[in-house]
Amino acid sequence: MDIVEAAGKIASYLEGVSPEVWAADSMRRDAVIWQLSIIGEAVGGISEETRASAPEIPWKLIRGLRNNVVHRYFSVDWKIVHNAATTNVPELERQVRDLLRSSYPDVFKRLQEQEEE
């Protein structure tokens, strides 16, 4: 659920914002980096069994992006981060929703209820 929530926040932070405006806005960059960190941490907490059930999700790359943006913050390539946030994160959200729907229907139902509030 944390991955889906973080993905939604990233989308809201970037909605209607050009890559150039985003790169110049340190508060918005920090917000996206924070949510990417949450996604990376959440991935780290997913069981090996669950990861194996969804091999199409690049679990190691996601965790690696988190490590890069956290540990190498001052040398981050903002174009790569923006691309990940606008292209990869929406796809990841879709994949995680599918995984929850098929393997964890109770969690998926809670997520839907939370989103309806």
Side-chain angles (χ1 to χ4, degrees):
M1 284 180 53
D2 292 336
I3 293 170
V4 172
E5 290 173 15
K9 287 180 181 181
I10 289 171
S12 72
Y13 301 156
L14 296 174
E15 186 176 354
V17 178
S18 73
E20 297 78 21
V21 169
W22 176 77
D25 184 343
S26 65
M27 190 173 358
R28 204 177 292 261
R29 283 194 329 256
D30 289 349
V32 169
I33 292 293
W34 178 250
Q35 295 306 318
L36 289 171
S37 298
I38 290 171
I39 289 171
E41 285 298 314
V43 164
I46 294 174
S47 72
E48 191 58 45
E49 179 183 2
T50 298
R51 286 189 226 165
S53 74
E56 69 280 5
I57 299 175
W59 303 110
K60 285 186 179 184
L61 289 175
I62 296 164
R63 187 75 177 157
L65 177 64
R66 178 255 175 223
N67 290 339
N68 276 315
V69 298
V70 168
H71 297 293
R72 296 187 178 120
Y73 182 82
F74 293 106
S75 63
V76 167
D77 183 330
W78 296 112
K79 288 179 185 176
I80 291 172
V81 173
H82 189 270
N83 184 59
T86 57
T87 304
N88 303 110
V89 170
E91 176 63 11
L92 174 64
E93 179 182 8
R94 185 195 62 72
Q95 291 171 318
V96 169
R97 282 180 183 277
D98 289 347
L99 177 63
L100 291 173
R101 186 180 300 111
S102 65
S103 299
Y104 302 94
D106 291 344
V107 174
F108 184 73
K109 183 179 178 184
R110 270 190 308 166
L111 176 65
Q112 287 183 306
E113 289 168 354
Q114 205 174 42
E115 290 175 335
E116 290 172 2
E117 293 177 352

